[in-house]
Amino acid sequence: MKADYLDHLQTPIMLINAKGELEYYNFICSHFFKLPPRKLKKLKGIGQLLKVSDFEILKHAQEALKLGAPIVSPELNLLLNEIAYTVVIKFIPLDQKVLVQILDYSIEKHLHEKYKQHILELKESHEQIVRSDKLTALGEMISGVSHEISSPLTIASDKLLSLAEHLHRKDEKSSRLDLEELTFQFKRIKQIVSNMQNLTRSSDEAVCVINIKTVIENALNFAQDLNLLSGITIELKGESYILGSALKLQQVFINLIKNSIDAFKEGAIKEKRISIHIESCTEQVVVNFMDNGPGVDESEKLFEMFYTTKKLGEGTGLGLPISQKIIESFHGSLSSVKKESGACLELNFQPLIKKVLL
């Protein structure tokens, strides 16, 4: 058999007989095995050349001859001159002989392992940034909460002193008014703390039927409690029910509200307005979240990781990408809609009826 053409192939190829004796090897074999041709010729059988633990080379070559069909080995670890190679061996029967081809995947496997390591490092870095972003947001919320709570606490403290004085004077009318004011202020504190607890509760909430209008109202109430919506007109229209997590969606809308508030700081807007319209039909539920701020020039980049229009140190560029992932986890979508002025984000959800039918 003339096999000189095999010298042009860049993989080690050998031709052996049924006894495993080496009858031919191509040019690359000498380079691969780090053996000169004269030493290769002296080898009695392929078993002396290829030593792989838990894999019998000759047995598989003979099996290929018996079947009359090629056999491919699993991924094997081959040790040559103290260097480890990851290989796959092909056994191809040819006229009572077997063509043995060695496919070296060492470089590919090494690159794959490095790629996996880089992915793990990137994932860890991403998680650290997300944690940092959450801590920054939490710090802002704590600062806002402490500020908002200090006001009713100061009023309550003054009213307690006033109540003590009125009780000493046995002034029932003034004492009653003091008690009403104290009750109101403590209810206000309780509501602020309650909203904070709702936001920081574990996110492993089961998917259930939710009123999306109620979710938005809760997000607005949270922002209102932190005095973030001062001087901003809110317009909320429509109502619909979907399947989702109320807590996760509340986090999304708090993020959108906060983005609008930050955008208002960028421009001199006299009448600041946030409009949220809920529309539903048999095919989808659409929520349009709009503000009349300065808008965004590169709206197509809004959902890119780490892209932010805020000043250095004021934003991580993760809020909208994370919000988009949350919406997509409920088989919905979050996208930007171009407007002549202001910003508009469109949230699409599958309607409850369609989900039930599916």
Side-chain angles (χ1 to χ4, degrees):
M1 174 186 175
K2 290 186 177 180
D4 295 342
Y5 70 94
L6 297 175
D7 282 331
H8 298 289
L9 300 179
Q10 297 301 306
T11 59
I13 293 178
M14 295 156 284
L15 193 65
I16 62 173
N17 58 28
K19 296 179 181 179
E21 296 170 336
L22 197 62
E23 295 192 359
Y24 167 84
Y25 55 87
N26 69 348
F27 174 76
I28 201 70
C29 280
S30 180
H31 173 75
F32 182 77
F33 292 108
K34 305 291 189 296
L35 290 173
R38 57 184 178 80
K39 284 193 176 183
L40 284 172
K41 288 179 181 179
K42 290 181 180 180
L43 294 175
K44 294 182 179 179
I46 194 170
Q48 289 183 295
L49 189 62
L50 291 175
K51 294 181 180 180
V52 183
S53 59
D54 300 325
F55 188 83
E56 297 181 27
I57 302 294
L58 182 57
K59 179 181 176 181
H60 284 79
Q62 290 172 342
E63 187 177 348
L65 271 177
K66 183 179 179 181
L67 292 173
I71 291 178
V72 180
S73 77
E75 194 175 274
L76 303 171
N77 293 318
L78 179 64
L79 189 65
L80 295 174
N81 301 316
E82 299 182 353
I83 299 174
Y85 294 88
T86 301
V87 301
V88 169
I89 304 175
K90 283 186 176 181
F91 301 92
I92 305 169
L94 294 172
D95 299 329
Q96 302 305 312
K97 293 179 176 58
V98 180
L99 194 72
V100 180
Q101 181 181 17
I102 301 173
L103 302 174
D104 181 11
Y105 291 106
S106 303
I107 296 175
E108 288 85 347
K109 186 165 184 179
H110 177 67
L111 290 174
H112 179 66
E113 292 299 326
K114 287 187 71 175
Y115 171 76
K116 281 172 64 178
Q117 183 62 33
H118 288 161
I119 290 296
L120 288 173
E121 290 173 359
L122 284 172
K123 186 178 179 181
E124 185 178 346
S125 298
H126 174 257
E127 288 174 352
Q128 288 176 352
I129 293 170
V130 171
R131 284 195 295 270
S132 175
D133 189 54
K134 287 182 178 179
L135 287 173
T136 302
L138 186 60
E140 291 175 358
M141 286 187 289
I142 290 172
S143 176
V145 168
S146 62
H147 174 74
E148 287 305 307
I149 287 179
S150 66
S151 177
L153 278 177
T154 302
I155 296 172
S157 179
D158 291 340
K159 285 300 174 182
L160 278 172
L161 293 173
S162 175
L163 177 62
E165 185 179 342
H166 290 147
L167 287 173
H168 181 70
R169 294 179 183 177
K170 296 183 180 181
D171 185 344
E172 292 185 9
K173 183 178 179 181
S174 297
S175 296
R176 191 180 301 110
L177 290 173
D178 288 338
L179 282 171
E180 288 176 359
E181 183 63 26
L182 279 168
T183 302
F184 174 78
Q185 295 301 333
F186 282 119
K187 281 184 177 179
R188 183 180 167 192
I189 293 171
K190 184 179 178 182
Q191 184 62 45
I192 293 171
V193 173
S194 176
N195 285 339
M196 185 69 177
Q197 288 174 333
N198 287 338
L199 186 65
T200 56
R201 193 187 304 156
S202 171
S203 60
D204 297 328
E205 184 184 13
V207 173
C208 58
V209 178
I210 57 172
N211 185 334
I212 197 163
K213 182 181 180 182
T214 302
V215 171
I216 296 170
E217 287 174 338
N218 289 338
L220 289 168
N221 289 337
F222 180 82
Q224 186 67 57
D225 288 338
L226 297 184
N227 201 30
L228 298 177
L229 298 178
S230 179
I232 301 175
T233 302
I234 303 295
E235 180 187 53
L236 177 58
K237 291 183 178 180
E239 185 174 18
S240 187
Y241 291 85
I242 63 169
L243 280 177
S245 163
L247 179 60
K248 288 183 179 179
L249 286 175
Q250 185 177 327
Q251 291 173 334
V252 169
F253 283 106
I254 286 173
N255 182 58
L256 300 186
I257 292 165
K258 191 175 181 301
N259 283 350
S260 292
I261 293 167
D262 291 340
F264 288 138
K265 297 175 184 176
E266 300 293 323
I269 311 297
K270 291 183 179 180
E271 296 182 3
K272 302 170 185 176
R273 185 175 66 256
I274 294 176
S275 301
I276 309 170
H277 297 169
I278 305 168
E279 299 177 1
S280 61
C281 62
T282 55
E283 291 300 318
Q284 62 182 351
V285 174
V286 180
V287 180
N288 283 303
F289 188 100
M290 301 166 283
D291 66 51
N292 63 335
V296 181
D297 293 331
E298 298 177 303
S299 58
E300 68 279 0
K301 292 186 177 182
L302 279 177
F303 303 100
E304 292 181 8
M305 299 294 283
F306 310 114
Y307 175 78
T308 179
T309 59
K310 298 175 185 177
K311 295 178 182 177
L312 185 65
E314 292 185 3
T316 61
L318 291 172
L320 282 176
I322 291 172
S323 295
Q324 188 179 52
K325 291 297 180 185
I326 290 173
I327 300 300
E328 288 174 351
S329 71
F330 304 130
H331 306 288
S333 65
L334 173 61
S335 58
S336 175
V337 178
K338 289 187 178 180
K339 285 182 61 184
E340 292 183 4
S341 61
C344 178
L345 292 172
E346 184 177 280
L347 297 86
N348 287 275
F349 302 92
Q350 288 188 10
L352 184 59
I353 294 175
K354 186 175 181 179
K355 278 184 171 285
V356 171
L357 290 175
L358 289 174

